[in-house]
Structures are given as C-alpha cells and as structure tokens.
Amino acid sequence: MTDIQTSDPLLPVMPLEPQPTGPALPAILESSPEALTEWLRAAGQPAFRAKQIRQWLIQRRISSFDQMSDLPAALRTLLQNSFRFCSFEIIGHQIASDRTEKLLLRLQDGELVECVLMREPDRRTVCISTQVGCAMGCVFCASGLLGVRRNLTAAEIYEQVLVLHRLLQPDEKITNLVVMGIGEPLANFRSLTAALDLLTAEDGFGLGARRITVSTVGLPEKIREFARLGSQYNLAISLHAPNDELRTQIVPVNRSIGIAEILDAADDFHQITGRRVSWEYVLLAGVNDQPQHAEQLATLLQNRTAHVNLIPMNGVTELAMTAPREPHTQKFLEILIRRGIPATVRKRKGADIDAACGQLRLNRETAQH
Ligand code: SAH
C-alpha cells in the first residue's frame, strides 16, 4: 500500500451540496425533457431552460444546482428544493499508483456501492455498479458475499459515470464504459437500459454504444432481450468453467441454467447484433486453471466468433482462493491461442487498492457489523 496517495484510503472528497431533509426528492436526471419542461412551465419559467438544465446535468462538471451559472438565482434555489442533484454521497476515494481511482458511494437509504475510473494512455474506462450486492453467489467474488439488497435506479447508475467524469482533468474524456461493478446488470434490465439510453443519447453524455460493455453471469432470455435492443453494445459473459459440473461449483446460479443454454443465447446475440461475444474466465489456482480446462474451453468456443478474457483472480480478503502463478496463466493462454481461440489476459488495474469487485463495500459492511 506504499503508493497510495491518501493516507486514509476512505478519505471523503468532493462533498456534494447538502440536501434538504424530509421526504426524498425526485432525482432530476429521472425527469424526462418533457416532464422538466412541464415543471418549468408550472414554475413560470421559459421552456428553453429545460435544455440548459439538461446540458449542465449531463455534460458539465458541476456538483450542485448552484453552479448552473446561466440560470437565475431563484430558479437554482427552486431546483435545489424540488429535486435531488445527486443520489449519493462519496464516502471513500482511493487512488492507486497507476492512477486508477475507486469511489465508495453511500446512497440515500444508506446502502453502499462502488465505481472505478481506470486510465490508460489512449483511454479512460469507467466501471459501474447496477445493484446493491449480488444474488449470483460466485464463490470468488466479494460482491455477492452478503447477497443482494436491491436494484439501483437508472439515475443511481448513470450518476456514477458523471461523478467519475468529474475526477478527470478538463482535457480528458471518458472513452469507455464497462458495466462490471457490483451486481448482475441483466437482472436490473430496465434501469440498466434507461441509464445506457441517457449515456448514449446525442444530447446526453454522447458515449458510443460500441464503447460500452455489459458483463453478465449469463441469463439467456435477458441476453436475447439485450440483443433485440438493436444497439451496438458489447456483451461479455462470465463463463469461468468449461463444463457444468465445475461451473455449478464456481457459479452456483449455473445449476438452473447450464452452459449449453448460455452458448445458444450467445449465438443468438451474435446473429442479431453482428457483435463478437467476449467470454470472461477468472483463473482460480487449482480449480479451473488446468490444461484440460483450456482444451475443453477451446472446444466449446471453436467455430464461434468469440474472444476470451482471462482474469487472474483478484484477491479477496475473506476468501481462500488465489490466482494461479504466472506460468500457469501463460500456459492456459497458449492452449487457447494454439487452438485458434482469440484470447488475452486482463491487465490488472489498481492492484494496490481494493480493486476487486465489491471489496471496498464489503470491508465497510463487515466493519459495521
Ligand atoms: N454479474 C456480472 C458482473 C460482475 S463483475 C457478471 O457476472 O459478469 C465483472 C467480472 O468480474 C465478472 O466476470 C466477475 O466474475 C469478475 N470477478 C468478480 N470477482 C472477481 C475477483 N475476485 N477476481 C477477478 N474477477 C472477479
């Protein structure tokens, strides 16, 4: 932890403006352009203010209604008393030596989620959460250890991108989005797609659909529904094992789904969208990392337009499992490549902070109980 720039990894930063107490106010971002125009009309304000307000919300790096400098002061106060500017408070901020930044967010009801900003020379990728906890129960994952508490709303999903955007320098832009934080995104389909709509809207955040990747445990009907949206989103499926016996041990929800069903749904996704499917495979030492597993995986994916992303397990304090040693990982990769399956090993980002999915939230939750 020597390279951490903050001595207290949970240092509160960027406090958002205090919100009036009382019943929770509606999130301004969940107000459609039409509804906002109507609200303005009722408040005796011209309709063009709706566009101004949305522009501020969606594209600018502000943290309160008060900073909407081209609005009359009275309107800013009215907005402040009528809407929630942001659905959460930042209660933790970690910065790794590779400049990966991770935020711990406290939602209005006290629940916690995380989101991450990763920097590479030519891209800035954000990773966001879609649920409080997760119901899938993958045995190596910190997010699911306490089960699922609730779905996030569209605003709670979208606002993670905005708040990470505010960490960037003025000349930097978010280039990519991965929905790989806490939760199973396809189990929160409506909020996920509403948030993605705002993020890809030209008068919204303006992120290209091809730069967005949604990662799923593999829910076949939801994969088909996702394909039928008619968008160019990327899909990553967390396979983690090449046969049902092993997958059910590692990914318990597999018991009622099965790999064959997932492959079928992935084929449909490819057929409908023309997009190549990514397969995630977390390497767990001595569990799913043997040469025969790589051979089986290659057999499953041969003749498919696929790419395998090998992820050496990120350590989770509460769990005994670990990543294989480097030569093991290389051997696994070589087998896939030799069999003609495009594959890469995911680079670790933020290794010196709690970058494993849900680890930061888990630390907080377990400290409190
Ligand atoms: N529910 C979605 C999103 C989960 S997070 C899904 O299952 O895909 C995104 C990826 O991180 C998944 O592939 C997940 O299995 C993986 N992951 C979770 N915990 C991990 C850990 N400790 N080390 C490495 N990868 C992990």
Side-chain angles (χ1 to χ4, degrees):
M1 303 278 276
T2 47
D3 286 319
I4 300 270
Q5 293 172 8
T6 55
S7 54
D8 173 359
L10 294 176
L11 203 67
V13 289
M14 296 205 311
L16 293 169
E17 68 179 17
Q19 289 282 328
T21 48
L25 298 172
I28 182 120
L29 272 170
E30 279 176 358
S31 188
S32 66
E34 299 73 38
L36 193 56
T37 309
E38 180 52 34
W39 180 86
L40 285 162
R41 200 193 52 74
Q45 292 283 336
F48 70 84
R49 299 271 184 230
K51 194 163 179 202
Q52 274 178 307
I53 294 169
R54 268 175 73 81
Q55 289 253 316
W56 276 114
L57 289 173
I58 288 167
Q59 289 156 357
R60 312 293 175 89
R61 297 164 202 246
I62 57 167
S63 53
S64 73
F65 287 118
D66 207 41
Q67 290 172 308
M68 296 184 172
S69 53
D70 53 2
L71 300 186
L75 177 56
R76 285 183 251 164
T77 307
L78 189 60
L79 284 166
Q80 153 97 30
N81 290 329
S82 310
F83 294 102
R84 224 159 63 218
F85 182 81
C86 186
S87 306
F88 44 70
E89 189 189 342
I90 298 167
I91 60 162
H93 183 182
Q94 294 185 325
I95 307 173
S97 51
D98 65 5
R99 297 178 68 226
T100 294
E101 299 188 42
K102 186 162 191 168
L103 300 179
L104 182 64
L105 310 174
R106 184 165 54 215
L107 306 169
Q108 301 254 308
D109 59 0
E111 297 289 4
L112 304 178
V113 288
E114 301 170 16
C115 57
V116 185
L117 165 69
M118 292 165 283
R119 289 179 162 98
E120 282 170 275
D122 57 341
R123 57 166 83 182
R124 260 99 19 219
T125 303
V126 294
C127 174
I128 58 172
S129 299
T130 52
Q131 296 183 307
V132 179
C134 184
M136 302 301 129
C138 301
V139 297
F140 52 82
C141 177
S143 301
L145 288 178
L146 301 171
V148 67
R149 304 275 271 269
R150 69 168 173 88
N151 281 337
L152 296 188
T153 64
E156 286 168 339
I157 297 173
Y158 181 87
E159 287 168 5
Q160 292 172 60
V161 179
L162 294 186
V163 92
L164 290 165
H165 182 66
R166 292 217 301 272
L167 299 176
L168 296 174
Q169 299 300 312
D171 60 341
E172 289 181 314
K173 257 178 65 177
I174 290 174
T175 59
N176 295 73
L177 166 68
V178 294
V179 187
M180 296 188 181
I182 298 174
E184 168 47 47
L186 297 189
N188 184 12
F189 198 86
R190 274 227 270 155
S191 297
L192 170 75
T193 50
L196 294 184
D197 282 349
L198 271 169
L199 286 165
T200 52
E202 259 173 54
D203 72 335
F205 198 76
L207 204 56
R210 285 168 179 257
R211 296 186 169 258
I212 296 177
T213 301
V214 173
S215 177
T216 177
V217 75
L219 305 177
E221 276 321 303
K222 294 291 177 190
I223 289 175
R224 293 190 177 93
E225 208 177 326
F226 190 59
R228 287 194 298 264
L229 292 176
S231 291
Q232 289 288 296
Y233 300 125
N234 300 296
L235 180 70
I237 304 180
S238 296
L239 194 64
H240 305 326
N243 61 67
D244 278 326
E245 194 191 341
L246 186 56
R247 188 166 196 265
T248 299
Q249 281 171 32
I250 303 176
V251 182
V253 69
N254 188 62
R255 189 182 302 282
S256 57
I257 302 173
I259 293 175
E261 274 292 305
I262 296 174
L263 289 169
D264 263 3
D267 291 345
D268 287 348
F269 180 89
H270 176 63
Q271 217 214 334
I272 295 169
T273 64
R275 310 289 290 158
R276 175 176 82 166
V277 174
S278 288
W279 297 88
E280 290 162 287
Y281 194 104
V282 172
L283 287 168
L284 308 168
V287 179
N288 64 355
D289 64 337
Q290 302 301 304
Q292 75 266 22
H293 297 132
E295 296 285 357
Q296 274 183 28
L297 180 61
T299 304
L300 283 183
L301 298 181
Q302 69 195 1
N303 307 323
R304 293 192 149 89
T305 311
H307 175 265
V308 174
N309 216 325
L310 297 174
I311 317 170
M313 184 192 166
N314 279 316
V316 175
T317 325
E318 289 74 8
L319 300 173
M321 280 159 282
T322 55
R325 284 181 302 118
E326 174 78 15
H328 248 82
T329 302
Q330 282 310 315
K331 174 95 194 193
F332 202 98
L333 178 68
E334 277 160 27
I335 294 172
L336 294 176
I337 302 287
R338 179 169 49 71
R339 296 275 307 267
I341 309 291
T344 42
V345 177
R346 185 175 292 170
K347 265 188 280 171
R348 280 201 77 181
K349 304 290 288 176
D352 51 358
I353 56 175
D354 297 317
C357 251
Q359 177 76 74
L360 200 54
R361 167 174 178 263
L362 185 66
N363 291 352
R364 263 297 167 102
E365 292 277 358
T366 46
Q368 279 166 5
H369 294 118

